[in-house]
């Protein structure tokens, strides 16, 4: 077993945790690696704000002839866990009185003033109940064009001499699939729109706002939108395309180097739906800020009542049919998942967010336990045992 331990603050026993369960977690991860379901795994778990489990297993690179180990400090894309960070950014603006959760999007973005888009508010974007088409829509709607396809087609034909590009209008030509509040439909495009809302009301990009107002104050130095050449050397190597991109960054090429106009235009779309990268040890700082009711150490990000609002179940009786599922009552907070059911051992107060590819952040206020782990799936696969089963192994160690 190729295991590299990370830095911890205390022993498992000091926070009431059965240390033998760590070996069980390692065995589980190694089995998934041996089954070629994941390339590697890394994790960081804390209780009462103290890290007692931290490490990595498996290879850094997808290439079989490479023997460098994955490290606890290796950087991964966190995909949709970015949405949890973006939700806190939106909440900060609510605290500052810039808008409310129930503010219609049309009061900020001109494109949403028309029917039926004028019914969509910030709350419905955060809870995936806006009625906008879900990420999984192309799987079951004939001739459907995703928001990303429509934006790409627009960027291919836009004439910049006519003024700033309006990708929002281009995407919204799709219309909506449901009424507001009718159904939970996971929509990453909705979080890109939240990024545009942040940009519109602050005068800076959402990426800059989040970096200055959340990441930097929390000391999350290994969390970023675009890596520097130095940080690019610490990224996991998932495939040939990403390996080449990392090598380009390490050699000094910028993210825009050699890109066509169309490719550069994509950088005008907010990355708040899934653009951040981080490490388990860095992301646990964000998790512990939420466990600290908006504060980490002496650093306040948001207030206690705001955290209570984000992490209290807000949806009841709203169905979810995404990715072929059938859930007649989707449990959800504001920007944070509150998935329930017989398959999980965590407390009923628990909230979380998953990221494609895959990674997970799970926070249990009752037990004051926070866990972050990365399990890069092989290919485009998805395995519940890399996410849900891991949750149960970690929570089983509480004494």
């Amino acid at each position: 077993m190729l295991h590299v331990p990370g830095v911890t603050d205390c022993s498992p026993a000091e926070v009431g945790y059965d240390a033998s369960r760590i070996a069980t977690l390692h065995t589980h991860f190694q089995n998934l690696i041996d089954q070629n379901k994941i390339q590697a795994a890394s994790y960081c778990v804390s209780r009462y704000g103290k890290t007692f489990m931290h490490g990595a297993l498996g290879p850094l690179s997808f290439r079989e002839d490479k023997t460098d180990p994955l490290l606890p400090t290796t950087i991964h894309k966190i995909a949709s866990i970015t949405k949890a960070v973006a939700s806190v950014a939106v909440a900060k603006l609510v605290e500052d009185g810039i808008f409310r959760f129930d503010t219609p999007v049309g009061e900020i973005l001109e494109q949403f003033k028309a029917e039926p888009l004028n019914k969509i508010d910030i709350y419905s974007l955060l809870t995936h109940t806006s009625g906008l088409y879900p990420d999984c829509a192309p799987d079951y709607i004939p001739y459907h064009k995703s928001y990303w396809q429509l934006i790409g087609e627009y960027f291919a034909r836009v004439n910049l001499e006519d003024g700033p590009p309006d990708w929002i209008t281009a995407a919204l030509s799709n219309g909506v699939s449901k009424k507001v509040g009718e159904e939970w439909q996971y929509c990453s495009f909705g979080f890109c729109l939240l990024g545009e809302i942040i940009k519109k009301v602050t005068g800076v990009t959402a990426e800059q706002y989040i970096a200055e107002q959340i990441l930097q104050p929390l000391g999350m130095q290994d969390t970023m939108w675009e890596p520097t050449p130095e940080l690019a050397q610490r990224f996991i190597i998932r495939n040939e395309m990403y390996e080449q991109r990392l090598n380009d960054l390490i050699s000094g090429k910028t993210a825009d180097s050699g890109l066509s106009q169309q490719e550069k235009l994509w950088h005008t779309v907010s990355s708040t739906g899934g653009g951040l990268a981080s490490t388990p040890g860095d992301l646990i700082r964000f998790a512990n800020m939420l466990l600290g009711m908006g504060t980490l150490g002496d650093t306040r990000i948001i207030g206690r009542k705001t955290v209570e609002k984000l992490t209290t179940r807000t949806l009841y009786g709203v169905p979810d049919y995404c990715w072929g599922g059938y859930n007649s009552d989707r449990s959800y907070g504001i920007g944070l998942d509150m998935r329930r059911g017989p398959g999980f051992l965590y407390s009923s107060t628990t909230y979380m967010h998953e990221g494609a590819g895959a990674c997970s952040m799970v926070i249990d206020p009752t037990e004051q336990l926070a866990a972050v782990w990365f399990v890069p799936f092989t290919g485009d696969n998805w395995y519940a045992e890399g996410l849900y089963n891991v949750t149960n192994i970690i929570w089983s160690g509480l004494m």
Side-chain angles (χ1 to χ4, degrees):
M1 182 183 294
L2 189 60
H3 172 249
V4 179
V7 176
T8 57
D9 300 322
C10 65
S11 70
E14 289 178 75
V15 290
Y17 194 86
D18 179 358
S20 70
R21 303 308 295 165
I22 301 176
T24 303
L25 180 66
H26 290 172
T27 299
H28 181 71
F29 282 145
Q30 188 61 53
N31 287 340
L32 294 177
I33 293 171
D34 293 342
Q35 295 164 17
N36 197 34
K37 291 183 176 180
I38 64 175
Q39 176 182 318
S42 58
Y43 59 88
C44 188
V45 186
S46 68
R47 196 176 192 199
Y48 309 123
K50 294 182 178 181
T51 297
F52 65 92
M53 274 173 67
H54 190 196
L57 296 89
L60 174 68
S61 173
F62 73 99
R63 296 189 180 278
E64 294 183 0
D65 60 337
K66 299 291 186 180
T67 59
D68 292 342
L70 190 79
L71 301 176
T73 54
T74 296
I75 299 169
H76 308 246
K77 290 183 176 180
I78 69 170
S80 284
I81 297 179
T82 303
K83 293 180 175 70
V85 182
S87 298
V88 169
V90 171
K92 282 183 66 66
L93 294 168
V94 170
E95 282 193 333
D96 291 345
I98 306 302
F99 48 64
R100 301 184 310 277
F101 285 129
D102 63 353
T103 296
V105 175
E107 290 188 10
I108 303 169
L109 300 180
E110 187 73 23
Q111 298 92 333
F112 279 78
K113 289 186 176 180
E115 287 275 2
L117 299 169
N118 60 352
K119 302 295 192 301
I120 297 174
D121 57 13
I122 290 170
Y123 169 83
S124 64
L125 292 179
L126 286 164
T127 57
H128 301 284
T129 57
S130 65
L132 294 171
Y133 283 97
D135 291 4
C136 56
D139 294 335
Y140 63 85
I141 300 177
Y143 317 116
H144 173 81
K145 288 186 177 182
S146 72
Y147 295 114
W148 319 116
Q149 183 178 351
L150 289 167
I151 293 171
E153 291 175 354
Y154 169 72
F155 284 158
R157 67 175 186 271
V158 67
N159 184 353
L160 296 181
E161 294 180 358
D162 295 334
D166 181 8
W167 55 265
I168 296 178
T169 296
L172 292 176
S173 63
N174 232 0
V176 299
S177 68
K178 301 288 179 182
K179 294 179 180 178
V180 173
E182 182 179 354
E183 192 173 308
W184 185 89
Q185 298 188 124
Y186 189 83
C187 182
S188 294
F189 176 68
F191 271 77
C192 292
L193 293 171
L194 288 167
E196 291 301 301
I197 290 170
I198 294 171
K199 179 180 178 181
K200 188 70 178 288
V201 302
T202 64
V204 299
T205 66
E207 291 83 355
Q208 181 179 340
Y209 180 82
I210 287 170
E212 293 177 351
Q213 300 296 321
I214 300 175
L215 306 182
Q216 292 170 14
L218 288 177
M220 297 173 67
Q221 298 179 354
D222 289 343
T223 303
M224 73 222 71
W225 300 98
E226 287 292 338
T228 62
E230 292 74 25
L231 289 174
Q233 298 180 57
R234 288 173 45 203
F235 266 69
I236 186 172
I237 304 170
R238 297 290 308 278
N239 52 51
E240 289 184 4
M241 183 177 69
Y242 203 64
E243 181 179 46
Q244 182 59 54
R245 181 172 180 272
L246 290 173
N247 287 336
D248 287 345
L249 289 169
I250 292 168
S251 66
K253 293 183 180 179
T254 65
D256 284 342
S257 297
L259 297 182
S260 66
Q261 173 185 289
Q262 181 181 356
E263 290 169 324
K264 288 180 180 178
L265 283 170
W266 275 105
H267 290 176
T268 67
V269 180
S270 292
S271 301
T272 36
L276 280 171
S278 188
T279 65
D282 228 29
L283 197 51
I284 205 79
R285 296 183 66 82
F286 177 82
N288 279 321
M289 177 274 294
L290 289 174
L291 267 184
M293 303 309 290
T295 301
L296 183 69
D298 296 328
T299 300
R300 179 198 186 277
I301 301 298
I302 51 177
R304 176 174 63 86
K305 297 305 293 184
T306 308
V307 175
E308 287 177 3
K309 187 73 173 179
L310 294 176
T311 61
T312 298
R313 181 175 179 177
T314 191
L315 297 185
Y316 290 90
V318 178
D320 158 27
Y321 309 116
C322 283
W323 293 286
Y326 181 84
N327 186 341
S328 62
D329 184 20
R330 187 61 159 91
S331 180
Y332 215 77
I334 297 182
L336 291 160
D337 200 344
M338 300 192 74
R339 193 170 305 178
R340 300 290 180 263
F344 304 104
L345 298 182
Y346 48 63
S347 306
S348 60
T349 55
T350 299
Y351 52 91
M352 69 208 72
H353 215 295
E354 180 182 324
C359 51
S360 190
M361 177 181 70
V362 183
I363 302 167
D364 184 339
T366 299
E367 296 293 344
Q368 284 292 295
L369 185 73
V372 172
W373 67 96
F374 295 84
V375 278
F377 293 155
T378 56
D380 294 323
N381 300 306
W382 184 90
Y383 300 103
E385 55 264 49
L387 298 168
Y388 306 155
N389 298 35
V390 170
T391 304
N392 289 341
I393 293 172
I394 293 173
W395 261 254
S396 71
L398 290 167
M399 294 191 296

